[in-house]
């Protein structure tokens, strides 16, 4: 029992190591999928005008992913295993982040910005750079037992908090900027629920190729100065990718109730704009992270956009010590007291 | 002491490295992977909002053909790439790319390059000889039912290697 308690304490005090174990597999899988899509969609080069900021720093020869890029798949597997287990962990994390900046950027040039992996790839970069990431790893074990035996006096004690805080800041910024974008592009009328109602029912797969991708043109733009056309295109739409009949029925049910979509729209904006309060204390932090987890799960159910990376990151950023105290009964409180005393 | 100072400097360098591009993308309202202003679902879509399908129509062998079968990738990829990276929204800043400015010369150069690339691609992968490509927009409702006749908004002439916008042509 004591052994299990020690493991729990160790895990709770090292969320960055847990995150380091969980994320690399997911990011490597995304890179693998993106490489396949790039290759099988005859995407032979990235035009200069569609390069991302990061791709502008790369030589053109690195932006072609033909059959010869098989070595990338091997590199992906090696780096995913290395990063997750912590074997040359920081180097593997750096390489994985770099690869996703490169491949995800090329994928964006193809037309699709993967918002799921845009956060997780940055989190990998952060994990490669901040202290505390490697506390539960093969690297740490080897260093402690064979190279420097006096390395750590209190192996279960918490690492510096700034790494975890940085990840939290990036997460907060992401949600906040999503709220800002809705008001910036949609205005206050975004709260009337019409936009949400539209997307809940925009099942692109129900339409033939050639009729799936819509562009949005708003009349307000037509009154301003523009010179490309007489229409005033503003944006492309996104789609609902849910294919399960039961979930589609649920989405339709929600979309057909104006009071519901208005309420969800207002709650969404309030939620996204108030993320900064997670820095007040761990209680707010946990409430928001759990709410984000539930929100992404619901978006997954209603729209087929599950945002697994976000949900994993939210779970790892929870203050699990507080969770223990709140929901763990007497055992949890005792354990939490031990964690705090370290 | 020196070690602590170095650790402090390192910490702020990492913060700056990670946060600066994110904050910049957020403030300016652009996205460039992995940095984003998160524009998903942000543009308003209501009853009065204009919704359009884009069509590329090629003059080949004396007749006009729909180029959709020649995209060789899902339509959403093709149209999103074209709109986000090539055409761009109205206004100087578009939420779907990382460009910080826009003007007719840059627009013209991108359109010419895009159509030049596409006609070469169609020739080499499909042996499709294209003389001209019309860019059309069809106003539709949410169920994609056309609400008006297709509107020709510009064309690319392979002889001149130039895209010609028809904006203002009817005035």
């Amino acid at each position: 029992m004591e052994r299990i308690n020690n493991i729990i304490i160790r895990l709770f005090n090292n969320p960055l190591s847990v995150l380091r174990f969980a994320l690399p597999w997911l990011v490597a899988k995304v890179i693998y999928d993106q490489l396949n899509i790039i290759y099988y969609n005859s995407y032979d080069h990235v035009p200069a005008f569609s390069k991302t900021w990061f791709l502008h720093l790369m030589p053109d020869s690195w932006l072609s992913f033909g059959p010869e890029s098989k070595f990338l798949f091997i590199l992906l597997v090696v780096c995913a295993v290395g990063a997750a287990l912590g074997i040359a962990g920081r180097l593997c994390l750096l390489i994985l982040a770099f690869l996703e900046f490169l491949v995800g950027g090329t994928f964006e040039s193809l037309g699709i910005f993967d918002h799921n992996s845009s956060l997780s790839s940055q989190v990998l970069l952060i994990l490669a750079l901040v202290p505390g990431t490697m506390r539960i790893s093969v690297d740490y074990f080897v260093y402690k037992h064979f190279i420097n035996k006096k390395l750590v006096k209190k192996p279960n004690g918490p690492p510096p908090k700034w790494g975890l805080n940085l990840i939290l800041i990036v997460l907060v910024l992401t949600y906040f900027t999503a709220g800002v974008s809705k008001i910036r592009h949609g205005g206050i009328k975004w709260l009337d629920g019409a936009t949400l109602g539209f997307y809940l029912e925009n099942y692109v797969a129900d339409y033939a190729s050639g009729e799936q991708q819509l562009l949005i043109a708003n009349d307000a733009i037509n009154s301003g100065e523009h010179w490309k056309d007489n229409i005033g295109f503003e944006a492309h739409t996104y789609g609902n990718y849910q294919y399960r009949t039961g979930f589609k029925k649920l989405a339709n049910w929600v979309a057909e109730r104006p009071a519901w979509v208005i309420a969800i729209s207002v709650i969404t904006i309030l939620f996204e704009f108030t993320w900064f309060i997670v820095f007040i204390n761990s209680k707010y932090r946990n409430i928001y992270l759990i709410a984000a987890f539930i929100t992404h799960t619901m978006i997954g159910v209603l729209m087929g956009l599950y945002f697994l990376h976000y949900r994993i990151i939210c779970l790892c950023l929870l203050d699990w010590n507080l969770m223990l105290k709140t929901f763990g009964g007497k055992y949890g409180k005792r354990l939490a007291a031990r964690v705090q005393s370290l | 002491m020196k070690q602590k100072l170095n650790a402090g400097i390192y910490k702020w360098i990492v913060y700056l490295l990670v946060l600066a591009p994110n904050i910049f993308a957020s403030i300016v309202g652009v996205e460039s992977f992995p940095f984003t202003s998160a524009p998903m679902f942000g543009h308003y879509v209501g009853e009065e909002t204009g919704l359009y399908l884009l069509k590329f129509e090629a003059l080949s062998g004396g007749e006009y053909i729909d180029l959709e079968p020649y995209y060789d990738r899902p339509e959403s990829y093709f149209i999103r790439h074209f709109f986000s990276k090539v055409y761009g929204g109205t206004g100087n800043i578009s939420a779907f790319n990382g460009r910080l400015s826009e003007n007719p010369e840059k627009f013209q150069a991108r359109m010419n390059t895009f159509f030049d690339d596409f006609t070469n691609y169609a020739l080499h992968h499909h042996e499709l000889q294209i003389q001209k490509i019309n860019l059309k927009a069809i106003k539709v409702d949410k169920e994609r039912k056309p609400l008006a006749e297709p509107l020709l908004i510009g064309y690319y002439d392979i002889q001149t290697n130039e895209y010609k916008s028809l904006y203002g042509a009817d005035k």
Side-chain angles (χ1 to χ4, degrees):
Chain A
M1 191 63 189
E2 187 56 22
R3 211 186 163 103
I4 293 171
N5 287 346
N6 278 335
I7 291 171
I8 292 173
I9 291 169
R10 193 108 197 249
L11 290 175
F12 279 17
N13 265 335
N14 294 285
L16 298 187
S17 287
V18 179
L19 201 48
R20 195 210 68 235
F21 180 77
L23 268 191
W25 313 104
L26 301 175
V27 175
K29 173 71 167 58
V30 163
I31 299 172
Y32 175 80
D33 291 342
Q34 289 173 341
L35 277 171
N36 272 321
I37 292 171
I38 291 166
Y39 175 58
Y40 287 110
N41 283 286
S42 314
Y43 199 64
D44 51 3
H45 74 288
V46 180
F49 59 72
S50 73
K51 284 181 180 174
T52 62
W53 299 335
F54 184 78
L55 294 192
H56 275 295
L57 305 174
M58 301 294 119
D60 281 338
S61 58
W62 289 21
L63 308 180
S64 177
F65 304 104
E68 71 277 8
S69 65
K70 272 180 187 165
F71 90 95
L72 273 180
F73 295 126
I74 297 166
L75 187 62
L76 270 181
V77 174
V78 170
C79 287
V81 173
L85 300 182
I87 306 166
R90 290 190 188 276
L91 179 65
C92 289
L93 284 166
L94 264 182
I95 294 173
L96 269 185
F98 174 85
L99 282 178
E100 179 51 0
F101 287 8
L102 190 75
V103 178
T106 306
F107 193 57
E108 188 205 342
S109 301
L110 184 60
I112 308 296
F113 190 111
D114 188 332
H115 291 96
N116 197 16
S117 68
S118 70
L119 176 68
S120 52
S121 58
Q122 290 193 71
V123 171
L124 288 190
L125 175 67
I126 295 169
L127 289 175
L129 301 176
V130 302
T133 304
M134 306 305 297
R135 300 256 308 225
I136 306 174
S137 68
V138 174
D139 285 348
Y140 187 88
F141 180 84
V142 169
Y143 196 77
K144 188 183 155 202
H145 290 279
F146 301 106
I147 299 172
N148 184 356
K149 292 182 181 176
K150 293 176 185 170
L151 178 66
V152 179
K153 287 172 187 167
K154 286 203 290 184
N156 288 345
K161 282 186 178 169
W162 68 267
L164 188 131
N165 282 339
L166 179 56
I167 296 173
L168 200 55
I169 291 171
V170 173
L171 187 71
V172 168
L173 193 62
T174 304
Y175 284 114
F176 180 73
T177 199
V180 169
S181 279
K182 289 180 182 69
I183 298 302
R184 187 201 310 249
H185 301 302
I188 203 73
K189 66 181 177 180
W190 196 90
L191 298 172
D192 72 10
T195 309
L196 188 64
F198 166 76
Y199 281 117
L200 282 171
E201 295 184 308
N202 188 31
Y203 300 105
V204 288
D206 288 354
Y207 300 99
S209 181
E211 294 184 345
Q212 294 179 344
Q213 185 58 58
L214 294 171
L215 297 185
I216 299 170
N218 273 335
D219 293 340
I221 282 185
N222 283 328
S223 60
E225 187 179 327
H226 62 98
W227 39 265
K228 291 178 184 173
D229 50 63
N230 292 310
I231 296 171
F233 293 115
E234 195 182 14
H236 66 69
T237 57
Y238 295 86
N240 185 330
Y241 301 98
Q242 183 53 264
Y243 301 106
R244 293 185 188 182
T245 313
F247 290 164
K248 284 171 81 169
K249 277 183 187 166
L250 180 62
N252 293 341
W253 187 86
V254 174
E256 285 157 13
R257 279 158 182 77
W260 279 66
V261 285
I262 290 171
I264 296 171
S265 300
V266 172
I267 291 168
T268 300
I269 292 286
L270 287 175
F271 181 60
E272 290 177 338
F273 269 111
T274 52
W275 260 86
F276 285 105
I277 69 169
V278 302
F279 295 112
I280 293 176
N281 61 37
S282 288
K283 188 178 163 189
Y284 292 137
R285 180 172 128 197
N286 280 3
I287 290 171
Y288 268 68
L289 289 167
I290 291 169
F293 184 90
I294 294 169
T295 302
H296 285 302
T297 306
M298 285 311 298
I299 295 170
V301 167
L302 296 174
M303 301 188 69
L305 303 166
Y306 286 94
F307 276 72
L308 178 62
H309 299 198
Y310 272 68
R311 288 189 291 159
I312 297 285
I313 291 167
C314 286
L315 280 185
C316 289
L317 293 182
L318 280 171
D319 184 337
W320 282 98
N321 197 28
L322 182 62
M323 295 288 280
L324 256 186
K325 255 197 255 178
T326 313
F327 303 110
K330 280 183 186 172
Y331 168 77
K333 283 193 174 74
R334 266 206 314 274
L335 209 56
R338 278 184 62 186
V339 173
Q340 271 184 332
S341 69
L342 290 167
Chain B
M1 180 68 185
K2 195 178 172 187
Q3 205 177 1
K4 266 192 177 176
L5 189 68
N6 285 342
I9 291 170
Y10 174 74
K11 172 183 158 182
W12 288 111
I13 288 173
V14 173
Y15 264 73
L16 188 71
L17 177 76
V18 173
L19 294 181
N22 280 297
I23 292 171
F24 181 77
S26 174
I27 290 173
V28 180
V30 292
E31 66 179 1
S32 186
F33 193 90
F35 312 109
T36 178
S37 61
M40 307 86 78
F41 315 113
H43 293 80
Y44 182 79
V45 184
E47 288 303 318
E48 304 300 317
T49 305
L51 295 173
Y52 289 84
L53 292 169
L54 276 191
K55 293 285 173 193
F56 293 85
E57 190 183 70
L59 177 62
S60 176
E63 59 178 342
Y64 280 101
I65 55 168
D66 185 355
L67 283 175
E68 190 275 327
Y70 300 92
Y71 291 169
D72 284 354
R73 65 191 63 159
E75 177 220 351
S76 60
Y77 288 24
F78 189 86
I79 299 295
R80 283 198 199 182
H81 165 76
F82 175 74
F83 177 74
S84 303
K85 308 302 173 193
V86 187
Y87 201 85
T90 304
N92 282 334
I93 299 283
S94 177
F96 306 101
N97 60 59
R99 287 192 292 272
L100 303 177
S101 65
E102 173 70 309
N103 61 44
E105 290 74 32
K106 288 179 183 173
F107 171 72
Q108 187 70 51
R110 292 197 307 272
M111 294 294 275
N112 293 350
T113 305
F114 170 81
F115 282 110
D116 187 38
D117 280 354
F118 187 78
T119 49
N120 281 329
Y121 178 86
L123 181 64
H124 291 116
H125 288 78
H126 297 285
E127 296 176 354
L128 183 69
Q129 288 273 4
I130 295 175
Q131 285 91 50
K132 183 184 173 189
I133 299 177
N134 287 338
L135 178 57
K136 289 183 172 178
I138 307 171
K139 189 168 190 179
V140 294
D141 65 11
K142 290 170 187 173
E143 281 79 39
R144 278 63 167 177
K145 289 181 192 134
L147 299 174
E149 287 296 307
L151 179 70
L152 181 65
I153 57 179
Y155 63 88
Y156 174 76
D157 189 339
I158 200 161
Q159 298 298 326
T160 58
N161 281 340
E162 197 175 349
Y163 172 79
K164 177 100 175 123
S165 167
L166 293 181
Y167 172 66
D170 54 342
K171 290 178 183 172

